[in-house]
Structure formats: C-alpha cells, structure tokens
C-alpha cells in the first residue's frame, strides 16, 4: 500500500500507474501496488500546472515542461492495474487543492471518494482533527487487504457526522 497527501498523493497515484508508462521510459514499472490512499491529492497534475496551484508547484516540479505531463499526471495514466484498491479522501473546505479535482478523478477511476465537510487541506494529516477518523478508516482496509494479499475493491469508509462518502 502507498499513501500520500497533496503532492505526496500525486506521487502515490503515479507510483500505482507506472505500468502505463511506455516500456522505453526509465520510470516504467510492473504493477506492484495493491492499494493507494490519496489524501487531498494533486490527482490532475495538468490542472495544477495550468491553474498554478501551490504558487506554481506543478510547473516547478516539471521544470516548466508541460510535455512531461503525459508521463507524470495520474489522471492521464488511468486506469490503474486491475485489482488495485483506490481510496481518495478530501476536505470540502480545501483551498489549496480543490475537492472537485478528487471528484473528477474518482469518477474517472471508479474510485471511492470520502469528502470531509468541515475539513481544509491540512486537517487530513492532523491526528487531532475531526477528519482523522475518516483517514484511518480509508487506510485500514487497504493495509489489511494488502497484507492478506486479497484485492479489496468494495471497501468503503463508513460515513461519520462530518463526512459524505461518494462512490462513482
């Protein structure tokens, strides 16, 4: 299992999609990741690049080279390998990475998206926040299933009072 927050979420998603890269690319890899949990992830690097999210962080990551988006953008590398469990968690009040990015990615990937109504960008990595139980619920099934070697495609975080689980 891999998990990541924000730019780390982009890296986690990308890691699970490396099998989609051209075999001639030095970053190409065999499908080896059983589960991904992406927290407020930059799941559409192209959108982040174009919109200048994070004060241009995506453009800096790619050294301004938009032509690299085909090799680095998780949404462009879908689908993930069959059997890969994918869960996304995003705060509705996130002002750094718009929750709509995760909504579109979840719809395109057929993934579980847990939206935390009263959470911003950093609440997802704060164990003292009200959002933390939703994060641990997303992480727990992924870890258990991967440890057992069983793909877990139907797992859902159970909604709490401040969140909505959307399945697409």
């Amino acid at each position: 299992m891999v998990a990541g927050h924000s730019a780390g979420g982009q890296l986690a998603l990308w890691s699970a999609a490396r099998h989609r890269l051209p075999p001639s690319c030095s970053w190409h890899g065999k499908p080896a990741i059983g589960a991904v949990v992406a927290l407020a992830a930059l799941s559409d690097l192209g959108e982040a690049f174009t919109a200048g999210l994070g004060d241009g962080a995506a453009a800096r990551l790619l050294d301004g080279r938009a032509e690299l988006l085909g090799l680095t953008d998780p949404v462009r590398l879908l689908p993930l390998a069959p059997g890969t469990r994918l869960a996304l968690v995003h705060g509705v009040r996130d002002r750094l990475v718009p929750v709509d990015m995760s909504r579109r990615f979840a719809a395109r990937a057929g993934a579980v998206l847990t939206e935390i109504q009263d959470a911003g960008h950093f609440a997802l990595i704060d164990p003292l926040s009200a959002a933390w139980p939703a994060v641990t619920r997303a992480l727990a099934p992924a870890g258990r299933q991967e440890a057992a070697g069983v793909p877990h495609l139907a797992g859902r975080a159970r909604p709490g009072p401040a969140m909505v689980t959307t399945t697409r």
Side-chain angles (χ1 to χ4, degrees):
M1 172 183 63
V2 294
H5 173 259
S6 197
Q10 178 271 335
L11 185 58
L13 293 167
W14 176 82
S15 295
R18 291 177 47 218
H19 67 285
R20 304 268 302 150
L21 296 172
S24 60
C25 178
S26 62
W27 298 334
H28 176 84
K30 294 180 181 177
I33 295 173
V36 177
V37 178
L39 310 172
L42 284 169
S43 55
D44 187 334
L45 202 56
E47 178 184 337
F49 188 98
T50 302
L53 296 180
D55 293 322
R60 285 193 309 277
L61 171 70
L62 301 177
D63 197 27
R65 298 173 54 202
E67 67 272 14
L68 292 176
L69 287 168
L71 300 174
T72 58
D73 191 351
V75 76
R76 295 175 195 218
L77 294 172
L78 286 172
L80 300 181
T84 304
R85 182 185 179 277
L86 175 58
L88 299 113
V89 181
H90 211 121
V92 173
R93 294 188 178 190
D94 191 329
R95 301 293 176 243
L96 299 176
V97 178
V99 67
D100 282 341
M101 186 180 289
S102 284
R103 288 174 181 151
R104 287 188 299 274
F105 190 87
R108 188 153 174 205
V112 174
L113 168 61
T114 301
E115 297 182 24
I116 314 294
Q117 296 301 313
D118 293 323
H121 190 70
F122 294 104
L124 303 179
I125 56 171
D126 178 358
L128 301 178
S129 77
W132 190 249
V135 173
T136 60
R137 283 191 295 272
L139 289 167
R144 277 196 309 271
Q145 293 300 321
E146 186 159 287
V150 178
H152 185 67
L153 300 176
R156 307 282 191 272
R158 300 204 193 300
M163 65 185 227
V164 174
T165 299
T166 306
T167 306
R168 302 211 196 293

